[in-house]
Amino acid sequence: MGILFTIFTVTAAGPLFIIISFLYLTFQIYSGKSIKNPNYPPVNGTVFGQLFYFNRLYDHQTEVARKQKTFRLLAPGQSELYTTDIRNIEHVLKTKFDKYTKGKYNQDIVTDLFGKGIFAVDGDKWRQQRKLASFEFSTRVLRDFSCSVFRRNAAKLVRVVSEMAIADQIFDMQDTLMRCTLDSIFKVGFGVELNCLEGSNKEGTEFMKAFDDSNSLVYRRYVDPLWKLKRYFNICSEASLKKNIKIIDDFVTKLIGTKRKLQAEERLYNDKEDILSRFLVESKKDPEQMNDKYLRDIILNFMIAGKDTSANTLSWFFYMLCKNPLIQEKVAQEVRDVTSSQDDVVNVEEFIANITDTTLEQMHYLHAALTETLRLYPAVPVDGRCAEVDDILPDGFRMKKGDGLYYMAYAMGRMPYIWGEDAEDFRPERWLNNGIFQPESPFKFIAFHAGPRICLGKDFAYRQMKILSIALLRFFHFKLADDTRKITYRTMFTLHIEGSLHLRAIGRTKSWR
């Protein structure tokens, strides 16, 4: 379709071009879709119709899913199926894993940002990155190194928030957490100190904004029938995306060059300390394939996994604690009980340094509260796969080769048939049995994906979120700056809070005064 757009753009103009383009697009959307065939899921519009409710997309999907567990939207050349049916999700992500891929439709949309990183590829490239990453996440070296980084940044975070608390100043919790987790993932993943949390790295802050804006702009392509045309002429949203991606590429290219130089000078003594160093060692075995462009893609994919998932979840977590003050106090009391720190005067550095693996494992209520947050506000609200062959789903509906199947994690968390009549309530107790955390099937609680592509960094993310939560809730009580303001999301690949999360922090101890 992109080629046809280009030809007509060059050779035609005005009303004729618009009419021909519209007719061609309509033909591509509606032809061969078996619209009235009951063997296929009911049609609920087109993918481009989502533009009309784009800013509340996930809530709209939830409303539709309450009536139809599986439905479809028509797209040029294929149908896009959406489901909350757990059987369908297990079928696609596990039972017939080898029959479903990311698909060309999705890859065309995301490649400018994610390139050939682990979230955008299939086959050998996915297996290679998965194997190396799996090795890294399973090593004690990375576990110990990451925990030391998380504790160090947690102490910095307490100091930053304490300044706001002392001044009784309103601050943006989401931005603060984003900076903190960005510092952590760059240190753990790439061996680099960004110092974004304390505001001393302007370049790092610009990179973070460029990445978040690119995330949003690329996601918007799913509802924009003209995005390829805009990219060709470098106009509107595609012009903004191009500028942001240049900022990203320049920053990451510089990072890779610095790491290569340090390795060449033999100043990196521990090749296994950070993930990028490990990939750089591997790149020497196949320098043509694992070039700097490939490494750039790997870095950005790990960054969205390490920064966005944790920071987004923690932002929604503190929002829910502010909306549910009794739950906030339950978590804070568990922190005091498990860490045996009931005193009013507590040394910040000593307290955080003593957060051990055992401490984290005993925080069942905190773990349940974080998991409950992910149930209602999953870091990736919608994800999916593409059928490589004709197939029949467990619910009886048919799919044609090339069709996509998207599972709606955000909507699933609100489905009474999955979670009970209180599905929309924030209730950490649903995860506890006699005070002990009890996990659910990953196909029911799909926040970390499932099957062979289940998130490798799940434990990594929980460790970071727990350490930061323990540190903040031991020293501060949090309140919304404005109880009347409606908090919603920004529609993109990951579930950011739209705008800011303005909070007040009130000290629980005298140690930071």
Side-chain angles (χ1 to χ4, degrees):
M1 189 174 118
I3 295 173
L4 190 67
F5 265 141
T6 302
I7 293 172
F8 276 121
T9 302
V10 174
T11 59
L16 179 61
F17 164 65
I18 295 172
I19 292 170
I20 292 174
S21 297
F22 176 78
L23 290 174
Y24 178 77
L25 184 62
T26 302
F27 176 78
Q28 286 287 301
I29 290 173
Y30 289 98
S31 65
K33 299 296 171 61
S34 306
I35 292 175
K36 295 184 178 180
N37 189 332
N39 291 322
Y40 293 88
V43 174
N44 201 268
T46 74
V47 292
F48 304 126
Q50 295 176 106
L51 183 62
F52 296 106
Y53 40 81
F54 188 73
N55 290 337
R56 57 179 299 273
L57 180 62
Y58 311 124
D59 289 296
H60 175 81
Q61 290 171 346
T62 302
E63 292 164 8
V64 177
R66 287 196 180 100
K67 303 171 186 175
Q68 301 164 333
K69 292 182 183 179
T70 303
F71 62 91
R72 60 177 166 148
L73 301 177
L74 304 182
Q78 77 273 349
S79 295
E80 303 298 337
L81 281 67
Y82 290 79
T83 191
T84 58
D85 194 311
I86 297 169
R87 299 168 300 167
N88 291 345
I89 296 167
E90 184 169 4
H91 177 83
V92 169
L93 299 185
K94 180 184 176 184
T95 308
K96 290 200 173 181
F97 173 78
D98 59 334
K99 303 299 182 185
Y100 288 83
T101 66
K102 297 301 291 185
K104 186 178 185 301
Y105 177 75
N106 291 309
Q107 288 171 333
D108 283 349
I109 287 174
V110 306
T111 294
D112 285 339
L113 180 58
F114 297 119
K116 296 180 179 179
I118 194 168
F119 294 137
V121 295
D122 298 295
D124 291 340
K125 281 187 170 62
W126 171 74
R127 279 187 285 273
Q128 178 196 36
Q129 294 180 47
R130 178 89 180 182
K131 182 179 178 181
L132 284 172
S134 179
F135 175 83
E136 281 303 311
F137 279 111
S138 65
T139 62
R140 186 74 199 185
V141 172
L142 182 65
R143 182 186 180 94
D144 292 344
F145 177 52
S146 63
C147 281
S148 68
V149 171
F150 298 155
R151 284 193 291 266
R152 187 164 64 248
N153 283 336
K156 289 182 183 179
L157 182 60
V158 169
R159 288 197 294 272
V160 168
V161 175
S162 70
E163 293 176 6
M164 310 294 182
I166 292 169
D168 191 25
Q169 183 177 344
I170 295 170
F171 68 102
D172 182 357
M173 177 62 104
Q174 179 170 242
D175 180 68
T176 303
L177 290 167
M178 283 286 182
R179 290 171 182 274
C180 181
T181 57
L182 185 66
D183 282 352
S184 292
I185 192 59
F186 265 81
K187 183 61 178 175
V188 174
F190 321 125
V192 172
E193 293 282 5
L194 280 188
N195 295 317
C196 280
L197 177 59
E198 296 172 312
S200 59
N201 190 329
K202 182 181 178 182
E203 192 177 15
T205 301
E206 289 175 350
F207 167 80
M208 181 173 72
K209 184 180 186 305
F211 186 83
D212 290 345
D213 288 347
S214 297
N215 182 329
S216 178
L217 290 166
V218 169
Y219 196 77
R220 198 173 183 85
R221 286 176 169 179
Y222 280 101
V223 300
D224 185 356
L226 302 178
W227 74 264
K228 288 186 179 180
L229 185 64
K230 291 176 183 176
R231 183 175 64 175
Y232 180 82
F233 285 105
N234 192 33
I235 58 174
C236 304
S237 57
E238 292 296 317
S240 298
L241 178 61
K242 187 175 181 179
K243 290 178 183 177
N244 283 316
I245 287 179
K246 186 177 187 309
I247 293 171
I248 293 167
D249 288 348
D250 289 347
F251 186 87
V252 175
T253 299
K254 182 179 176 181
L255 167 62
I256 294 170
T258 300
K259 294 288 287 185
R260 284 197 187 279
K261 183 179 178 182
L262 290 173
Q263 276 197 343
E265 295 173 355
E266 298 184 347
R267 287 165 59 188
L268 291 180
Y269 300 110
N270 189 346
D271 288 334
K272 296 179 181 179
E273 189 176 60
D274 64 79
I275 296 170
L276 177 57
S277 293
R278 174 74 178 171
F279 276 99
L280 283 170
V281 170
E282 288 295 315
S283 72
K284 294 175 182 177
K285 301 175 185 177
D286 187 6
E288 186 173 336
Q289 179 69 22
M290 293 188 69
N291 53 31
D292 283 4
K293 173 67 171 65
Y294 190 35
L295 291 171
R296 171 264 190 204
D297 298 342
I298 291 170
I299 286 174
L300 292 183
N301 280 250
F302 274 104
M303 201 203 78
I304 196 171
K307 175 183 82 73
D308 282 35
T309 53
S310 296
N312 287 343
T313 302
L314 284 171
S315 297
W316 290 108
F317 173 67
F318 279 99
Y319 169 66
M320 294 310 293
L321 293 189
C322 290
K323 297 293 285 185
N324 298 272
L326 292 179
I327 295 176
Q328 181 173 173
E329 290 312 303
K330 280 186 180 182
V331 179
Q333 187 59 52
E334 182 182 61
V335 169
R336 289 191 291 269
D337 292 343
V338 172
T339 59
S340 301
S341 60
Q342 303 290 345
D343 295 340
D344 191 36
V345 179
V346 182
N347 180 276
V348 174
E349 279 70 20
E350 279 185 23
F351 174 80
I352 294 174
N354 288 324
I355 299 175
T356 64
D357 286 347
T358 301
T359 304
L360 301 181
E361 290 167 4
Q362 292 175 338
M363 295 281 182
H364 290 280
Y365 195 80
L366 171 59
H367 195 99
L370 288 167
T371 305
E372 181 73 344
T373 302
L374 280 163
R375 185 184 70 84
L376 288 169
Y377 300 100
V380 180
V382 179
D383 202 354
R385 310 287 283 158
C386 177
E388 292 299 308
V389 296
D390 291 351
D391 196 11
I392 301 176
L393 298 171
D395 64 6
F397 286 125
R398 293 178 177 272
M399 289 185 69
K400 295 180 180 180
K401 178 181 178 181
D403 286 352
L405 183 83
Y406 296 87
Y407 58 85
M408 301 175 288
Y410 182 93
M412 288 175 69
R414 290 160 173 76
M415 291 297 107
Y417 89 90
I418 297 177
W419 296 102
E421 292 304 314
D422 65 348
E424 297 197 56
D425 296 340
F426 183 72
R427 192 170 65 83
E429 287 77 10
R430 77 175 74 242
W431 296 92
L432 300 172
N433 184 5
N434 294 323
I436 305 299
F437 180 83
Q438 299 295 319
E440 289 280 3
S441 161
F443 303 103
K444 176 180 178 180
F445 174 65
I446 197 70
F448 289 97
H449 208 68
R453 291 186 80 129
I454 194 167
C455 178
L456 287 169
K458 177 181 177 181
D459 293 338
F460 179 94
Y462 269 117
R463 282 198 298 274
Q464 178 172 213
M465 292 190 295
K466 283 184 176 181
I467 289 171
L468 294 178
S469 298
I470 290 168
L472 288 172
L473 291 169
R474 178 61 187 91
F475 294 100
F476 307 102
H477 172 80
F478 295 95
K479 291 184 178 181
L480 289 170
D482 181 0
D483 282 321
T484 63
R485 182 192 162 210
K486 182 181 179 182
I487 300 294
T488 187
Y489 49 78
R490 180 182 183 185
T491 305
M492 51 200 292
F493 287 102
T494 49
L495 201 69
H496 283 222
I497 289 176
E498 173 65 32
S500 306
L501 178 61
H502 288 133
L503 302 185
R504 290 185 186 275
I506 300 100
R508 293 181 187 272
T509 75
K510 298 176 181 177
S511 59
W512 46 269
R513 288 189 180 275

